[in-house]
Amino acid sequence: MGPKGSLPRVDIEAMLNDEKSAENFNVGVSEVKDLTWKQRLDYDSCIRCGRCQDNCPAYQNKHPLSPKKLINDLKDFSWKEFAQAKANKGNGAEADQANAEPKLIVGSAFPAETIWECRTCRACMEVCPARIDHIPQIMELRRAEVMMRGQLPQDAAIALKTMEKTGNPFGPQEARSTWIKEQQIPVVGPGEECEALFWIGCCTTYDVCKQKIAYNVLKILISAGVKVAVLGDDENCCADPARVLGDENIFQMLVKKQLELIKTRKFKYLVAHCAHCYNVFKNEYPQFGADFPVKHHTEVILDLIKEGRLKLEVPVEKTITYHDPCYLGRYNGIYDQPREILKSIKGIKLVEMKHNREKGICCGAGGGHYWMDIPNGERLNVTRVKEAQDTGAQVVAVGCVYCLHMIDDAIKILNLDEKMMVQDVSELVVEAMGGLAESSEQCALEGIAAA
Ligand code: SF4
Ligand code: SF4
């Protein structure tokens, strides 16, 4: 078993290069025969306690997904298929010709929407007393749907096509290069060296409203004397969206390409501010040979504060609640670092939402839902912001650009713009440093490149 944040790897390249495997090319779980012993064991281990669905944000918001029902539907379906196969093999007279062919699981055991509703938030796995792997079960079904049959929600298909064409799901690579050059962001070239390799991430790069996170993180690191640089033209998508959307081919193609480019630079650690980029580098890239340390920006910032390299002397008089990104908290156990940073800033009153830390509710973007709008029940980001509103906080602090986007959207949907805002932890740190936190597209990095 790999780390919490990694999905099993299938060797697509080897399958395609080997003539025999190419003939039997098979990715994911389509039929009962594709199930592993662990997957079957999961079905028999379920004690139907319902803890998973009680904690599943999709189920709680009346979306058509119950992790408990999913596991038990898989169990019932598997047993029926085994019984049918046995009957077909044994007594020809008993064989039901109409059922002679094995059935596809998705579409027979439950409708396809069940597997696409999952946010891969890990809330179910966190509480399951039988240690059932709901997410790997769902991901193997998604992989088969996408890789073997090309069946996936249309919006997700468009995102994957863009990734295949441009190397990221957002836009042309030239736009990234131009922005980095215009803002004079320090770049580390092939053969060159830096201390911290800052991974900006596509969601931040391609949205002027989110570029402020990059400016703020760079400001903090440079102020503390960290020699930080970015990959420039050589940063593409980390490939996480392809993996969660089930396209192992695009995922592996992009990971291998990106890893080759990263390996041409020398650095002590890679720092990411997006929880998804952080998780994929830390837990998935090692499957392909990555061996560098990976840190989240809240880990780095907290260390700098503890080492006395950052002076947070300006009070920030705000009541703040912190939203735990699933891929930071449940996947990687980072709950304390962002809270410790916020507590070290004078003036901040930190209040907790009803569901926090291990019990935190997903913002709704996980599992590729940033690229899919499946209108079912209340949106998860709306539920989350309502909970934040109950705390009386003026600010929802986050440590992930996707959470920032989803929470910002929900604040607008609920017409709370006048009362509440969302900020990355780095923005609050810059405020406490006495600098103007970057908060718009006009914020040029004057002075940063020269620092
Ligand atoms: S929490 Fe685990 S054991 Fe309980 S119903 Fe869900 S899958 Fe079954
Ligand atoms: S990962 Fe999250 S959304 Fe998916 S089934 Fe589990 S609790 Fe529900």
Side-chain angles (χ1 to χ4, degrees):
M1 276 170 65
K4 265 185 188 177
S6 78
L7 290 167
R9 178 188 173 182
V10 278
D11 199 338
I12 302 274
E13 207 176 314
M15 268 197 234
L16 290 172
N17 288 340
D18 174 30
E19 254 176 53
K20 265 196 173 164
S21 310
E23 272 171 34
N24 303 314
F25 185 83
N26 190 25
V27 179
V29 170
S30 295
E31 301 167 9
V32 164
K33 70 167 173 47
D34 302 325
L35 293 166
T36 63
W37 67 266
K38 168 65 171 90
Q39 286 162 336
R40 291 181 204 173
L41 184 67
D42 274 356
Y43 310 153
D44 286 331
S45 311
C46 177
I47 54 167
R48 298 176 188 239
C49 65
R51 286 184 181 94
C52 52
Q53 71 180 26
D54 291 347
N55 286 276
C56 172
Y59 181 79
Q60 291 303 321
N61 277 26
K62 306 202 178 346
H63 300 192
L65 165 66
S66 153
K68 174 185 170 186
K69 186 169 183 311
L70 174 103
I71 295 299
N72 285 284
D73 284 350
L74 282 165
K75 178 179 180 173
D76 295 346
F77 182 75
S78 303
W79 279 110
K80 270 188 208 147
E81 284 288 279
F82 286 137
Q84 188 61 54
K86 206 172 158 194
N88 289 342
K89 211 170 161 189
N91 185 345
E94 285 176 32
D96 173 354
Q97 288 309 315
N99 286 313
E101 287 298 314
K103 294 190 192 77
L104 294 175
I105 295 175
V106 174
S108 306
F110 36 71
E113 64 179 356
T114 305
I115 58 166
W116 293 108
E117 272 294 345
C118 178
R119 267 68 176 180
T120 62
C121 72
R122 227 176 180 281
C124 48
M125 290 173 65
E126 193 76 27
V127 294
C128 177
R131 302 175 78 93
I132 287 169
D133 291 331
H134 305 79
I135 298 172
Q137 294 268 3
I138 290 169
M139 286 311 307
E140 291 300 344
L141 295 167
R142 277 192 186 188
R143 281 177 176 174
E145 282 291 279
V146 173
M147 300 282 298
M148 306 308 295
R149 285 175 290 288
Q151 295 294 322
L152 70 165
Q154 203 189 0
D155 293 346
I158 293 169
L160 286 171
K161 255 211 158 26
T162 314
M163 281 183 88
E164 196 174 14
K165 212 169 128 200
T166 66
N168 76 76
F170 291 91
Q173 187 68 3
E174 302 79 60
R176 185 195 306 266
S177 315
T178 308
W179 170 63
I180 289 173
K181 273 187 200 124
E182 276 175 6
Q183 300 298 333
Q184 301 173 49
I185 297 175
V187 173
V188 57
E192 293 176 353
E193 214 170 313
C194 64
E195 182 183 346
L197 179 64
F198 178 42
W199 183 264
I200 302 177
C202 305
C203 190
T204 305
T205 300
Y206 289 92
D207 184 339
V208 287
C209 298
K210 301 190 185 84
Q211 288 170 353
K212 62 182 178 182
I213 305 175
Y215 301 144
N216 288 325
V217 174
L218 284 164
K219 248 184 193 176
I220 294 166
L221 298 189
I222 291 169
S223 304
V226 176
K227 290 209 176 319
V228 57
V230 302
L231 284 172
D233 282 352
D234 283 349
E235 181 178 319
N236 295 280
C237 178
C238 67
D240 165 81
R243 179 151 262 198
V244 292
L245 289 173
D247 198 322
E248 271 299 289
N249 194 28
I250 295 181
F251 172 72
Q252 297 192 12
M253 195 179 71
L254 290 177
V255 168
K256 286 173 189 169
K257 184 181 164 201
Q258 191 60 68
L259 204 46
E260 284 309 310
L261 293 166
I262 290 175
K263 278 180 180 170
T264 62
R265 277 79 170 173
K266 284 195 186 128
F267 56 93
K268 286 194 181 146
Y269 57 88
L270 181 146
V271 55
H273 67 84
C274 164
H276 298 265
C277 300
Y278 167 76
N279 181 69
V280 80
F281 278 118
K282 193 175 170 73
N283 298 317
E284 314 265 33
Y285 270 57
Q287 291 178 357
F288 301 86
D291 58 357
F292 44 82
V294 179
K295 299 184 185 188
H296 188 249
H297 71 317
T298 57
E299 294 179 288
V300 177
I301 293 171
L302 184 62
D303 284 347
L304 294 173
I305 294 171
K306 285 182 176 168
E307 288 162 16
R309 292 165 70 183
L310 285 176
K311 300 271 174 279
L312 308 183
E313 280 164 357
V314 178
V316 178
E317 303 291 349
K318 292 176 179 176
T319 302
I320 294 178
T321 189
Y322 176 73
H323 162 79
D324 290 284
C326 308
Y327 277 77
L328 207 56
R330 277 188 291 270
Y331 275 80
N332 288 292
I334 298 186
Y335 297 111
D336 293 326
Q337 293 88 332
R339 288 179 170 83
E340 277 191 51
I341 293 172
L342 296 172
K343 281 181 196 160
S344 68
I345 299 175
K346 289 175 207 148
I348 285 184
K349 185 181 168 205
L350 187 62
V351 289
E352 291 289 356
M353 283 183 259
K354 183 178 167 201
H355 294 92
N356 60 69
R357 299 178 68 95
E358 290 85 353
K359 295 274 182 191
I361 299 176
C362 174
C363 71
H369 277 259
Y370 186 83
W371 289 277
M372 297 185 272
D373 192 19
I374 305 177
N376 280 317
E378 183 172 271
R379 288 169 191 270
L380 267 52
N381 53 347
V382 168
T383 307
R384 193 55 170 156
V385 168
K386 282 183 182 169
E387 215 175 69
Q389 194 187 5
D390 289 344
T391 66
Q394 302 149 276
V395 173
V396 182
V398 292
C400 174
V401 65
Y402 288 99
C403 297
L404 183 127
H405 178 104
M406 298 302 281
I407 297 217
D408 193 40
D409 261 6
I411 288 173
K412 287 177 185 135
I413 290 169
L414 293 168
N415 288 320
L416 293 172
D417 324 39
E418 308 270 304
K419 297 183 189 146
M420 190 186 265
M421 67 188 295
V422 59
Q423 290 186 288
D424 187 85
V425 172
S426 59
E427 194 173 336
L428 293 153
V429 170
V430 172
E431 284 180 27
M433 284 163 61
L436 260 188
E438 302 296 358
S439 54
S440 78
E441 67 272 30
Q442 279 89 34
C443 39
L445 270 178
E446 215 171 295
I448 282 195

